[in-house]
Amino acid sequence: MSRHAEIVDALQVKGFQSVHELAGRFDVTTSTIRRDLERLEAMDLIKRTHGGAVPVRQSETPHHFKEELHRAEKTAIGRAMAERVLEGQTVLLDGGTTNLEVARHMDHQRLTVVTNDLRIATEIARKQTIHLVFIGGELLPNSYTMWGPTSVQQLSNLRVDVAIFSADTVSDDGVFNASSYEIELKRLMRSIANEAFFVADSSKFGREALFKVFGMESFTAGITDDLLDPLRASHFPIPIIQASVRRGV
């Protein structure tokens, strides 16, 4: 599963990749890569072409694939963000695998967490000292997040101290998503929060996505991992905090 997820990720970053390039990247035979591409095409995640494959951009990558990618980086980011949450605050977590890591690292004794993500809600529900407020609605296809008019109505009656957002891509002028489904909901989430952070691993920087969700002025800071070029991080108009990834010896 991990190699399949990394193949999809590589195609989303590079576009076309040849069978030989992928075989060299993952140190497997070209026959193995061709079988991988056949399976991924059957799942509508890639499209095979002569000698290689390209991404299916209109298709949302399944959540379980996303969770396989950049795990060490997401763990470091989740820990760093959770450490910046203060006791007694009300914190909103939108959906995503990086925010799931934020939830996993919350060990506060007095905290309220608001979320529209089923997996994050399940994680928080296990923590007896954290109060959970779950935002209902309709389940968004290919994800664990709720959205729609019910979600909007429920959020409109809330106020939170901090909102923490995931991102599909991060560019110099803001945070972008691959689809437009959640834009209205995310902007409402920001409007009810006193301050906001975004969490995104370093692979999300410099990619392209169609829909701008927020400008950088919407955030107090962003948190990523230490694989991002520090010079590049310094060029953003807000602080970009780089969490140290614990790597095996």
Side-chain angles (χ1 to χ4, degrees), residues 3-240:
R3 187 173 67 245
H4 287 176
E6 290 183 27
I7 289 171
V8 173
D9 191 54
L11 293 175
Q12 289 177 342
V13 174
K14 301 289 187 180
F16 174 80
Q17 290 276 274
S18 72
V19 169
H20 291 285
E21 286 173 325
L22 291 170
R25 176 176 182 143
F26 297 106
D27 194 24
V28 296
T29 65
T30 56
S31 296
T32 296
I33 290 295
R34 288 190 178 96
R35 288 193 295 270
D36 289 340
L37 296 180
E38 287 177 4
R39 295 190 185 101
L40 292 170
E41 187 175 50
M43 299 171 68
D44 294 325
L45 293 173
I46 62 101
K47 180 176 176 58
R48 287 185 296 163
T49 63
H50 179 69
V54 294
V56 179
R57 296 192 180 277
Q58 66 269 26
S59 176
E60 180 73 13
T61 305
H63 192 281
H64 59 276
F65 268 46
K66 290 182 178 180
E67 193 168 0
E68 292 286 335
L69 296 168
H70 312 292
R71 281 196 169 192
E73 292 88 341
K74 290 175 182 177
T75 297
I77 294 165
R79 183 185 303 112
M81 184 69 248
E83 289 173 352
R84 285 165 172 78
V85 173
L86 304 178
E87 290 285 353
Q89 286 190 317
T90 298
V91 181
L92 188 152
L93 298 175
D94 81 337
T97 54
T98 309
N99 259 344
L100 178 59
E101 287 298 327
V102 177
R104 285 172 175 161
H105 284 87
M106 286 179 165
D107 57 1
H108 300 69
Q109 297 303 303
R110 190 168 56 90
L111 198 68
T112 296
V113 172
V114 180
T115 188
N116 66 324
D117 186 294
L118 287 168
R119 293 195 68 180
I120 291 173
T122 300
E123 184 67 35
I124 294 298
R126 299 191 183 106
K127 301 174 185 287
Q128 295 184 353
T129 59
I130 300 180
H131 177 57
L132 170 66
V133 177
F134 184 66
I135 303 300
E138 300 174 59
L139 186 63
L140 189 66
N142 297 319
S143 78
Y144 290 89
T145 55
M146 312 300 286
W147 74 305
T150 301
S151 304
V152 170
Q153 182 178 15
Q154 191 175 353
L155 275 167
S156 297
N157 294 316
L158 300 178
R159 294 292 181 273
V160 301
D161 297 307
V162 182
I164 304 170
F165 294 95
S166 57
D168 287 344
T169 69
V170 180
S171 70
D172 293 345
D173 62 336
V175 166
F176 289 71
N177 270 27
S179 71
S180 62
Y181 287 116
E182 296 181 276
I183 290 179
E184 178 187 6
L185 196 65
K186 286 176 178 283
R187 289 175 178 170
L188 176 58
M189 288 175 172
R190 178 61 188 93
S191 73
I192 67 169
N194 291 335
E195 64 173 341
F197 294 81
F198 73 81
V199 290
D201 69 76
S202 54
S203 74
K204 303 290 182 66
F205 286 72
R207 290 191 180 186
E208 294 183 1
L210 184 57
F211 299 97
K212 185 174 182 178
V213 186
F214 299 113
M216 282 296 162
E217 69 279 359
S218 296
F219 300 103
T220 301
I223 298 188
T224 188
D225 56 76
D226 58 2
L227 296 179
L228 183 68
D229 182 352
L231 182 60
R232 183 172 190 181
S234 70
H235 288 163
F236 282 85
I238 62 171
I240 302 296

